[in-house]
Amino acid sequence: MSELAEQLRRELDRYSPGGKLPSSRALVDRFRVSPVTVSRALAQLAAEGLVVTRPGAGAFRARPRTATAPAGDTSWQEVALSADGAADLVPRSVDASGVLVSLAAPPPGVIEFNGGYLHTSLQPERAMSAALARAGRRPGAWGRPPTEGLPELREWFARTIGGAVTAAEVLITAGGQSALTTALRALAPPGAPVLVESPTYPGMLAIARSAGLRPVPVPVDPDGVRPDLLADAFRATGARVFVCQPLFQNPTGAVLAPERRGEVLRIAREAGAFVVEDDFVRRLVHEDSGPLPRPLAADDPDGVVVHVSSLTKATSPSFRVSALAARGPVLERLRAIQIVDTFFVPRPLQEAALELVGSPAWPRHLRTVSAELKTRRDTMTTALRLALPELSLPHIPSGGYHLWLRLPDGTESALTSAALRAGVAITPGRPYFSAEPPAGHLRLSFAAVAGPQEIQEGVRRLRTACAEVL
């Protein structure tokens, strides 16, 4: 790739600023290299600011940058942003790096093993478009919705949660991340400890830290969080909140064992604490999974659980419709915080969600995704065992969209960099730990790629990276 990039760099003077370079096909024929090599070379030149790539149009020589006005002095902001106003508060830090790993698109030609959403080929685009079109024609579709959400949509979420949960106990929110933010703001004051699974979702850790909370890790094993350590953590910290993902936990894929479910609720109730249940991938179950356990909220008469459920993972990153469910006085606090933050979720999106989940296309889509995710999971696990037996895969999940691998000590950072050079983007494990990790890890997503062939090619590239590092 570097030789081709250097050759193209020397030839740039042949083109005027804004001039179009030869097509990728022409470069492949001329230099007798693969399309991937051409894509990587162009991406390297684009990163250097020498060319501009436009999807569907080609690559162009970049125009000279115009002179900019001298930058002002913003150093004063370091003092302003670090002044908390009270000595006993935990300093707030807003670090989006752990979230951006799954949001940022990789350079052209790089295989996306770090994605957090379904590939476009798996998204129900036609069904969503049809639902949005029908929703836009509904009477009042562009008017102001109830602040809690459309009653019919709240009722649908209540039915999917089950148990004694009612529509009156459900709030419609703009995606799971927004719902988690509302929940943590409602349940814990700045400076308070909040118990989290270890490892856990980096986006939740970012929410907690940006709110001035102190994440305290509680280890997870193949059966979910360990109740004995959860009880110890409540006693040691005085925490009043525990955030967990009982079903196909991110990143381990663990499912909270039946005998632990009641224990977790009992321990939290005795501590006078809330359990925030992030039920983020219930609709991404694999075809070979058995019956799923009910959400914790379905078996909670005492209002211990604040439940988060979203449609986003099973549809599209832009279909940001989710629900918060809670019982008791906390519901009013959640509602008030959401109103202050966002007023309400746009009505056309709520109407479209109702149209989608009520259409015959919805169950068909879920069945298709269920079968496809199993195929992709099996393809990736087989490829890893054949090509990279030195990487430990302790658990194969029956739901979700990723695998969690153990790495040889001291290799995580180097392997992440080497993999990108080899043309595959992976997610290092370090951001998933709120304290020092016990070992190096790696999360590989099989949902954001085009299909099984791309998975096999991605593992082949990862093999090249491992040969460089391990």
Side-chain angles (χ1 to χ4, degrees):
M1 179 184 69
S2 59
E3 293 179 2
L4 177 58
E6 180 58 32
Q7 179 65 32
L8 294 176
R9 192 181 292 110
R10 288 195 297 266
E11 295 181 2
L12 279 178
D13 287 339
R14 298 181 183 179
Y15 309 96
S16 59
K20 186 175 181 180
L21 275 64
S23 68
S24 294
R25 182 184 296 274
L27 294 174
V28 167
D29 293 340
R30 177 186 170 191
F31 293 102
R32 299 185 181 277
V33 294
S34 71
V36 171
T37 299
V38 171
S39 295
R40 292 186 202 166
L42 291 175
Q44 182 174 329
L45 296 182
E48 295 171 8
L50 299 176
V51 303
V52 175
T53 57
R54 299 171 190 160
F60 302 80
R61 182 180 176 184
R63 298 182 184 277
R65 295 181 180 178
T66 58
T68 58
D73 180 7
T74 60
S75 58
W76 65 271
Q77 293 184 5
E78 296 182 37
V79 177
L81 293 174
S82 62
D84 293 303
D88 59 336
L89 294 183
V90 175
R92 293 184 301 163
S93 62
V94 184
D95 182 2
S97 58
V99 182
L100 287 174
V101 168
S102 61
L103 291 179
V110 174
I111 292 176
E112 192 173 359
F113 276 178
N114 62 334
Y117 298 99
L118 296 179
H119 188 266
T120 53
S121 63
L122 293 180
Q123 295 174 19
E125 289 189 349
R126 292 181 62 184
M128 288 189 296
S129 297
L132 192 59
R134 293 193 301 269
R137 295 192 295 267
R138 284 189 173 192
W142 296 93
R144 184 178 64 190
T147 53
E148 300 89 348
L150 297 180
E152 302 92 336
L153 188 56
R154 296 165 69 197
E155 174 62 31
W156 182 85
F157 272 109
R159 289 199 307 270
T160 62
I161 297 169
V165 176
T166 68
E169 295 164 339
V170 173
L171 304 173
I172 302 303
T173 63
Q177 188 77 357
S178 174
L180 288 171
T181 301
T182 297
L184 287 184
R185 285 186 58 196
L187 302 177
V194 55
L195 305 187
V196 300
E197 294 172 314
S198 183
T200 192
Y201 166 52
M204 192 278 300
L205 294 176
I207 292 170
R209 289 169 177 149
S210 67
L213 305 177
R214 293 189 292 113
V216 177
V218 183
V220 170
D221 66 19
D223 290 323
V225 68
R226 288 181 50 182
D228 57 333
L229 297 181
L230 179 64
D232 290 344
F234 272 125
R235 283 192 296 268
T237 64
R240 293 294 178 264
V241 181
F242 169 51
V243 186
C244 64
Q245 295 174 326
L247 187 65
F248 308 132
Q249 196 257 1
N250 183 9
T252 66
V255 177
L256 188 62
E259 64 273 12
R260 294 187 180 183
R261 291 167 55 86
E263 274 289 281
V264 167
L265 294 182
R266 180 189 62 78
I267 290 167
R269 179 69 183 86
E270 291 178 356
F274 290 96
V275 173
V276 177
E277 178 185 28
D278 183 11
D279 201 18
F280 74 116
V281 286
R282 181 168 292 271
R283 296 173 183 88
L284 295 187
V285 61
H286 299 172
E287 191 176 47
D288 60 348
S289 174
L292 298 183
R294 302 201 307 178
L296 295 178
D299 300 314
D300 168 41
D302 299 326
V304 172
V305 178
V306 174
H307 177 90
V308 176
S309 177
S310 176
L311 290 174
T312 304
K313 289 296 186 185
T315 54
S316 158
S318 290
F319 204 82
R320 306 202 65 76
V321 178
S322 62
L324 264 174
R327 175 172 295 153
V330 71
L331 181 62
E332 182 57 33
R333 182 180 291 187
L334 291 166
R335 176 179 176 273
I337 289 177
Q338 172 165 305
I339 291 173
V340 169
D341 282 351
T342 60
F343 289 0
F344 46 76
V345 177
R347 182 161 189 154
L349 195 55
Q350 294 191 55
E351 297 279 8
L354 270 175
E355 289 282 355
L356 178 64
V357 300
S359 71
W362 180 241
R364 289 199 301 268
H365 165 65
L366 294 182
R367 288 194 296 270
T368 298
V369 170
S370 177
E372 182 65 24
L373 288 179
K374 176 188 178 297
T375 298
R376 292 170 176 228
R377 180 205 66 195
D378 291 347
T379 299
M380 181 173 277
T381 54
T382 299
L384 287 170
R385 284 170 172 165
L386 291 175
L388 291 165
E390 61 268 40
L391 302 186
S392 173
L393 180 58
H395 176 66
I396 299 176
S398 57
Y401 52 90
H402 57 262
L403 300 177
W404 182 243
L405 293 91
R406 170 78 179 269
L407 299 177
D409 291 342
T411 62
E412 182 178 302
S413 178
L415 181 57
T416 302
S417 299
L420 192 57
R421 290 194 297 272
V424 57
I426 60 179
T427 305
R430 179 64 186 87
Y432 290 81
F433 293 89
S434 61
E436 290 301 317
H441 289 85
L442 180 67
R443 199 193 80 156
L444 299 181
S445 169
F446 46 80
V449 293
Q453 286 186 332
E454 192 165 79
I455 290 175
Q456 292 171 339
E457 172 61 18
V459 172
R460 187 193 66 77
R461 297 183 187 182
L462 187 58
R463 170 71 266 175
T464 300
C466 287
E468 175 185 332
V469 173
L470 302 184

